Amino acid sequence: MNSKVHQGHKARKRFGQNFLHDDYVIDQIVDAIHPSDEFTMVEIGPGLGALTGPVCDRINRLNVVELDRDLAARLATHPFLKDKLSIHQADAMKFDFTQLKEPGKKLKIFGNLPYNISTQLMFHLFEFAACVEDMHFMLQKEVVNRLAAGPGSKTYGRLSVMAQYYCQVVPVLEVGPEAFQPAPKVDSAVVKLLPYEVPPHPVTDISCLSRVAADAFGKRRKTIRNSLSHLFNVEQLTALGLDPTARPEQLTLVQYVVLANALAERKE
Ligand code: SAM
């Protein structure tokens, strides 16, 4: 059965609601998260509490950020969970996660994310990498592949460059549609993101990295001499040690950092 009604709640498509109901998968995810009160624990999109419950069995306090008012209200009156939860009825895409920080504690963030916003949400979350211990997310398998992809891969793109700038990316588990209700049309996967204490290849201005990656991959089929011609001429690319006839998917993260820092220097 693939009912849209789960535990008396009608799944809302616009909020990307696909509720987990496979206990084996839930246990695997909770084990990977390794919940601990040594950290400020944060769940994005708790929904009906499939992960919230088992995580709360192991800790005393959990922040949850849920956009759906009905689901937030349900959790607020949940007999076993309500005393452990700090409920933020809010849009995670606009949420300032630094407001949750407690002295001496980093954030541990997790969630079975709404797939319709997952890429944009990733970019938003990277901004908080400095105060995050780790993040575990259920995403579309294709998005996990993009996060983890390296140069030369078809799925390597701006998301890969930005994710790998901030974090070590570790795919954890693949999950089929049958683990959810209603079942999504795509395969899913869990990924662990471990932000670096200090990025191994730092940029002077992160907006420059985002810009060169967006512009280069925006015209994927073109060589960088074409896609980045508004930022660098052939001589400048060559002086930076880059092949102007290379395509965006051939450049390593370090080469994107070189471009970003050259752009930032010029802006100063
Ligand atoms: N964690 C639950 C589970 O695993 O069964 C629900 C996961 S469901 C895929 C995504 C959840 O994110 C839903 O509860 C949905 O209401 C919530 N959500 C959707 N958009 C959101 C947003 N922008 N900010 C916060 N929560 C959101």
Side-chain angles (χ1 to χ4, degrees), residues 15-259:
F15 291 150
Q17 291 177 352
N18 298 94
F19 300 105
L20 262 174
H21 68 108
D22 181 320
D23 288 339
Y24 174 77
V25 171
I26 291 169
D27 282 353
Q28 297 270 305
I29 299 172
V30 175
D31 278 349
I33 295 168
H34 213 72
S36 163
D37 286 312
E38 280 175 40
F39 301 96
T40 300
M41 299 291 304
V42 186
E43 178 175 8
I44 298 175
L48 292 161
L51 296 171
T52 321
V55 165
C56 280
D57 285 342
R58 304 200 195 181
I59 55 170
N60 292 317
R61 181 124 309 268
L62 174 64
N63 292 278
V64 296
V65 182
E66 173 59 63
L67 182 58
D68 186 324
R69 271 176 211 282
D70 293 343
L71 292 180
R74 237 175 114 129
L75 286 171
T77 54
H78 192 288
F80 308 114
L81 298 177
K82 66 179 192 323
D83 292 339
K84 289 192 174 182
L85 298 180
S86 297
I87 301 172
H88 308 269
Q89 195 268 306
D91 182 350
M93 300 252 273
K94 297 185 186 140
F95 195 76
D96 176 6
F97 287 86
T98 55
Q99 68 179 277
L100 303 179
K101 252 191 81 52
E102 298 163 277
K105 287 187 176 186
K106 281 195 165 185
L107 307 181
K108 248 181 187 284
I109 307 180
F110 67 95
N112 169 18
L113 297 185
Y115 293 173
N116 50 346
I117 58 162
S118 57
T119 305
Q120 278 317 107
L121 188 51
M122 286 292 113
F123 286 122
H124 178 61
L125 287 164
F126 295 150
E127 292 174 25
F128 304 98
C131 62
V132 172
E133 174 70 12
D134 59 33
M135 303 189 265
H136 290 82
F137 295 125
M138 174 84 79
L139 297 163
Q140 245 174 282
K141 189 173 148 193
E142 179 252 326
V143 176
V144 171
N145 290 343
R146 281 164 54 205
L147 285 164
S153 154
K154 273 195 183 140
T155 47
Y156 183 57
R158 177 172 164 241
L159 184 65
S160 331
V161 169
M162 298 310 289
Q164 292 165 35
Y165 174 78
Y166 286 110
C167 309
Q168 196 188 334
V169 180
V170 187
V172 174
L173 179 73
E174 294 191 2
V175 182
E178 62 286 349
F180 305 84
Q181 204 166 29
K185 291 198 173 69
V186 292
D187 282 329
S188 304
V190 177
V191 68
K192 176 183 186 127
L193 301 167
L194 286 159
Y196 295 111
E197 201 68 46
V198 179
H201 309 288
V203 290
T204 43
D205 180 347
I206 190 67
S207 70
C208 290
L209 182 63
S210 182
R211 176 151 188 220
V212 288
D215 290 0
F217 286 107
K219 292 178 183 152
R220 241 191 130 81
R221 288 164 172 276
K222 297 202 169 178
T223 59
I224 54 167
R225 70 182 288 174
N226 286 319
S227 57
L228 297 180
S229 60
H230 56 300
L231 300 176
F232 302 97
N233 61 33
V234 170
E235 290 69 33
Q236 288 167 324
L237 289 172
T238 310
L240 292 171
L242 297 167
D243 174 0
T245 67
R247 291 181 198 281
E249 67 268 21
Q250 293 174 295
L251 266 56
T252 62
L253 169 61
V254 175
Q255 288 174 316
Y256 278 106
V257 168
V258 166
L259 285 167

